[in-house]
């Protein structure tokens, strides 16, 4: 009798194991291509007026493009902490690049790993604790060229351009993972397009003969904006460091000049030769022009944008490389590919580079998802979505329940094209990184706010100053309507909504109003 019971039990266990294996086999792989500082408006699928991104466009053509995709705090480390936890910054601890991440919280990576997924993170990390929830991780420790990577086994050197190296390391991990029968999730965490905008050698000659169109607010006067906008140190006119940001000759003056020299020191002789062959003649021509004033700002803009867009070209190629690899290895039909960035970026709008502000260019982030058999090609969504939504989305894709509370909502119903009448009417934002946390904080004032489909209300609490923008009549956000009586009713509604959001997300940081 006992042995019969044992045999039945064994059969049951075998049956369950095989059912689990079948389930696992059907669970989709998840490839998160996560880039840095890549603005929506530098992607042709999002209507870019300044460049073409054929591989990202192809992903959008086969998948779903979220047109209203935003972040909750437009800065690198915090955005990664939100990606992991599905929580706004105040709740996950990493409110700034150096503030302590609450590693004890559940994350999508930990939950996927606990539910049979093989998990990996390769590239830029920027969370203030060690990676947790990843079978394999490799953190980029250097710059754009010949960076080292820190892994569980120590520091590993690499040679080549960082976007290519991160891509290759990610594909090598997929190919060599020890249990190919398990579903996998890989977070390909590119460091491009972050400063120092160093392109791949093969892209150095792109855009040399073209004039990148200027944004309408390149010479913004900041009229009507709260104090802080006019004094922020992120202008194309005055705050681009010659060697670090513009690839002009190193003079030995200042911290970022030294950083530029350090990057040049990482080149191999052959790389340095190709680099100099591109930039030395251009820099000599620039010096001869002796530009001043607006002409110099325009030149700065062209130099900045061309290097930025060359870095984007590297990312776009990476998307093509990843997708070709998946196809060649018969993984494409069961692998979800997500393209997103940690936040947007100012490409000359308001006269700026960088991010941090709640204005559209940095608040928006690209989000394109291709889920074979689920997303319909050429589809778009106008739902207000945010980076808090990604973690719950990845978990539902994998068919597992989130552990604990997440602020975000799974995007899966939107991806399936199901009706979502009660989706979301507004999104919440809070930037609160304070000086001198980073030498490149650019003196941006702390602020929180609410954005709806048509309006945006921002509170700069250190100055007790409000801004209201009508995004329909004023998409460039140059007319602060806070004192316009025509908007009084809307302002009341938005203030009530902002209070509701701060209560819903239990954000008690920053000054109340
Ligand atoms: Ca970033």
């Amino acid at each position: 009798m006992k042995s019969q019971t044992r045999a039945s039990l064994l059969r049951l266990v075998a049956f369950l194991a095989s059912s689990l294996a079948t389930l696992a086999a059907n669970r989709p792989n998840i490839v998160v291509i996560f880039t840095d500082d890549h603005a929506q408006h530098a992607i042709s699928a999002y209507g870019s007026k300044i460049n073409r991104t054929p591989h990202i466009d192809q992903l959008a053509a086969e998948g779903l493009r979220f047109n209203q995709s935003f972040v909750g705090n437009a800065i690198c480390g915090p955005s990664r902490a939100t990606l992991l936890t599905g929580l706004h910054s105040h709740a996950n601890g990493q409110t700034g690049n150096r503030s302590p991440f609450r590693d004890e919280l559940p994350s999508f990576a930990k939950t996927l790993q606990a539910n049979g997924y093989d998990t990996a993170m390769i590239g830029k990390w920027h969370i203030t604790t060690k990676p947790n929830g990843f079978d394999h991780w490799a953190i980029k420790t250097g710059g754009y060229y010949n960076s080292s990577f820190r892994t569980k086994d120590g520091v590993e050197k690499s040679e080549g351009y960082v976007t290519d190296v991160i891509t290759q390391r990610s594909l090598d991990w997929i190919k060599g993972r020890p249990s190919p029968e398990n579903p996998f999730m890989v977070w390909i965490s590119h460091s491009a397009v972050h400063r120092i905008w160093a392109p791949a050698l093969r892209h150095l000659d792109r855009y040399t003969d073209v004039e990148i169109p200027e944004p309408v607010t390149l010479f913004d006067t900041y009229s009507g904006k709260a104090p802080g906008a006019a004094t922020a140190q992120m202008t194309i006119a005055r705050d681009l460091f010659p060697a670090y940001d513009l690839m002009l000759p190193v003079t030995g003056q200042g911290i970022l000049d030294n950083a530029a020299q350090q990057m040049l020191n990482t080149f191999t002789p052959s790389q340095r030769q190709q680099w100099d062959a591109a930039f030395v003649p251009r820099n000599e021509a620039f010096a001869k022009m002796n530009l001043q004033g607006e002409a110099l700002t325009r030149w700065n803009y062209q130099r900045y944008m061309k290097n930025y867009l060359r870095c984007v070209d590297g990312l776009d190629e990476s998307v093509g490389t990843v997708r070709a690899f998946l196809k060649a290895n018969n993984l494409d039909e069961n692998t979800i590919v997500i393209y997103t960035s940690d936040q947007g970026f100012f490409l000359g709008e308001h006269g700026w580079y960088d991010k941090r502000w709640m204005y559209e260019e940095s608040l928006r982030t690209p989000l394109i998802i291709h889920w074979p058999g689920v997303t319909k090609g050429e589809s778009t969504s106008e739902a207000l979505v945010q980076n808090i939504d990604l973690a719950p989305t990845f978990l539902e894709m994998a068919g597992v329940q989130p552990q604990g509370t997440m602020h975000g909502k799974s995007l899966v119903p939107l991806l399936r094209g199901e009706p979502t009448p009660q989706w979301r009417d507004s999104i919440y934002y809070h930037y609160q990184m304070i000086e001198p946390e980073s030498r490149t904080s650019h003196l941006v004032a702390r602020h929180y706010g609410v954005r709806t489909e048509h309006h945006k209300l921002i509170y700069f609490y250190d100055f007790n100053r409000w801004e209201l923008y009508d995004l329909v009549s004023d998409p460039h956000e140059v007319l602060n309507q806070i004192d316009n009586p025509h908007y009084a009713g809307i302002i009341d509604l938005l203030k009530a909504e902002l209070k509701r959001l701060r209560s819903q997300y239990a954000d008690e940081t920053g000054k109340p109003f």
Side-chain angles (χ1 to χ4, degrees):
M1 211 37 201
K2 272 187 179 171
S3 69
Q4 275 178 352
T5 311
R6 190 183 294 131
S8 309
L9 268 174
L10 284 173
R11 272 200 299 277
L12 181 64
V13 167
F15 169 76
L16 286 174
S18 112
S19 304
L20 280 173
T22 310
L23 193 65
N26 292 329
R27 289 197 288 173
N29 307 307
I30 301 172
V31 173
V32 187
I33 305 176
F34 191 83
T35 61
D36 198 300
D37 295 359
H38 187 189
Q40 270 185 10
H41 54 304
I43 294 178
S44 33
Y46 278 98
S48 169
K49 298 186 178 92
I50 54 174
N51 68 332
R52 312 303 303 164
T53 47
H55 295 291
I56 300 172
D57 293 1
Q58 184 60 32
L59 187 72
E62 295 172 42
L64 190 148
R65 184 184 77 231
F66 289 91
N67 283 338
Q68 311 300 334
S69 157
F70 307 98
V71 296
N73 182 5
I75 183 81
C76 302
S79 187
R80 284 162 178 77
T82 290
L83 174 78
L84 274 177
T85 59
L87 292 168
H88 281 296
S89 303
H90 65 275
N92 67 45
Q94 195 161 351
T95 50
N97 278 336
R98 295 187 197 172
S99 18
F101 176 62
R102 292 179 55 203
D103 189 41
E104 75 279 11
L105 290 169
S107 76
F108 84 86
K110 289 182 196 168
T111 308
L112 287 182
Q113 189 186 44
N115 283 276
Y117 268 72
D118 289 350
T119 56
M121 193 297 303
I122 289 140
K124 176 167 173 170
W125 176 237
H126 220 192
I127 305 273
T128 50
T129 54
K130 271 190 179 172
N132 196 344
F134 299 95
D135 300 317
H136 171 75
W137 49 266
I139 299 174
K140 186 206 78 141
T141 60
Y144 270 89
Y145 278 86
N146 312 322
S147 173
S148 289
F149 287 78
R150 189 157 52 86
T151 72
K152 286 173 186 166
D153 304 321
V155 175
E156 296 170 12
K157 288 190 173 167
S158 76
E159 187 175 325
Y161 185 65
V162 73
T163 302
D164 301 338
V165 173
I166 289 171
T167 304
Q168 195 54 51
R169 289 188 78 112
S170 302
L171 302 185
D172 287 347
W173 176 79
I174 295 174
K175 198 151 195 170
R177 66 195 196 285
S179 309
E181 67 280 9
N182 292 346
F184 66 85
M185 183 285 297
V186 58
W187 174 5
I188 306 177
S189 187
H190 286 294
S191 53
V193 197
H194 198 282
R195 279 163 113 190
I196 189 168
W197 299 289
L201 298 172
R202 64 184 180 278
H203 296 145
L204 287 179
D205 290 331
R206 287 201 180 176
Y207 309 105
T208 46
D209 298 326
V210 297
E211 193 83 357
I212 309 295
E214 291 173 1
V216 295
T217 54
L218 183 60
F219 295 97
D220 199 337
T221 59
Y222 313 109
S223 161
K225 284 195 158 47
T231 53
Q233 294 176 351
M234 52 169 68
T235 67
I236 303 279
R238 295 180 306 277
D239 304 306
L240 287 166
F241 292 82
Y244 187 75
D245 291 319
L246 296 169
M247 310 303 172
L248 288 167
V250 172
T251 60
Q253 304 290 312
I255 231 173
L256 291 182
D257 206 65
N258 292 339
Q261 183 60 54
Q262 280 168 20
M263 186 198 75
L264 295 175
N265 293 346
T266 64
F267 283 133
T268 65
S270 152
Q271 288 166 344
R272 180 66 193 265
Q273 199 178 17
Q274 292 176 73
W275 186 267
D276 286 349
F279 284 112
V280 170
R282 291 175 208 170
N283 289 347
E284 286 171 357
F286 164 71
K288 278 191 192 136
M289 290 188 288
N290 193 26
L291 299 173
Q292 309 289 331
E294 285 196 2
L296 179 60
T297 302
R298 294 204 148 97
W299 184 90
N300 285 351
Y301 170 75
Q302 293 295 324
R303 173 59 70 94
Y304 154 51
M305 282 314 306
K306 288 178 183 183
N307 284 330
Y308 179 95
L309 295 176
R310 289 166 185 142
C311 292
V312 169
D313 287 339
L315 292 175
D316 188 62
E317 286 181 5
S318 169
V319 172
T321 304
V322 169
R323 300 198 71 209
F325 167 89
L326 294 173
K327 201 170 174 59
N329 289 277
N330 294 320
L331 291 165
D332 54 322
E333 286 181 12
N334 197 32
T335 301
I336 301 168
V337 177
I338 295 110
Y339 188 89
T340 189
S341 179
D342 61 350
Q343 84 290 304
F345 216 65
F346 293 100
L347 308 179
E349 297 85 7
H350 304 294
W352 290 333
Y353 66 95
D354 210 73
K355 53 249 183 182
R356 300 159 209 274
W357 300 92
M358 199 189 165
Y359 304 126
E360 289 293 279
E361 292 80 6
S362 60
L363 176 68
R364 289 177 168 276
T365 198
L367 180 60
I368 298 167
I369 299 181
H370 176 230
W371 186 350
V374 174
T375 48
K376 291 186 184 65
E378 298 284 4
S379 53
T380 57
S381 169
E382 299 299 327
L384 301 177
V385 303
Q386 214 168 5
N387 55 349
I388 49 172
D389 299 326
L390 293 171
T393 301
F394 300 159
L395 295 181
E396 189 175 352
M397 284 168 166
V400 298
Q401 290 294 317
Q403 307 290 306
T405 306
M406 288 186 172
H407 288 158
K409 292 163 71 166
S410 167
L411 304 174
V412 167
L414 297 168
L415 294 168
R416 292 193 190 282
E418 292 166 0
T420 48
Q422 301 294 318
W423 179 253
R424 183 182 279 144
D425 296 326
S426 67
I427 58 139
Y428 179 64
Y429 183 88
H430 192 174
Y431 174 81
Q432 55 177 311
M433 192 161 110
I434 50 168
E435 312 294 337
E437 184 176 354
S438 159
R439 68 180 182 221
T440 53
S441 285
H442 306 284
L443 303 175
V444 172
R446 301 185 295 175
H447 56 289
Y448 56 71
V450 54
R451 188 202 191 279
T452 61
E453 193 184 345
H454 289 162
H455 299 97
K456 184 185 295 176
L457 180 76
I458 315 175
Y459 184 44
F460 293 89
Y461 46 86
D462 291 324
F463 300 112
N464 191 26
R465 284 281 295 269
W466 293 86
E467 292 181 11
L468 173 79
Y469 295 99
D470 182 330
L471 301 169
V472 177
S473 63
D474 175 30
H476 303 298
E477 298 170 293
V478 292
L479 298 169
N480 179 7
Q481 304 284 10
I482 200 71
D483 295 321
N484 183 343
H486 172 73
Y487 288 95
I490 284 171
I491 290 167
D492 286 346
L493 287 173
L494 288 171
K495 282 188 176 175
E497 179 66 359
L498 183 55
K499 268 211 162 78
R500 189 193 69 75
L501 286 168
R502 280 179 59 81
S503 164
Q504 176 189 335
Y505 296 131
D507 186 5
E508 292 173 356
T509 61
K511 291 179 194 159
F513 64 93

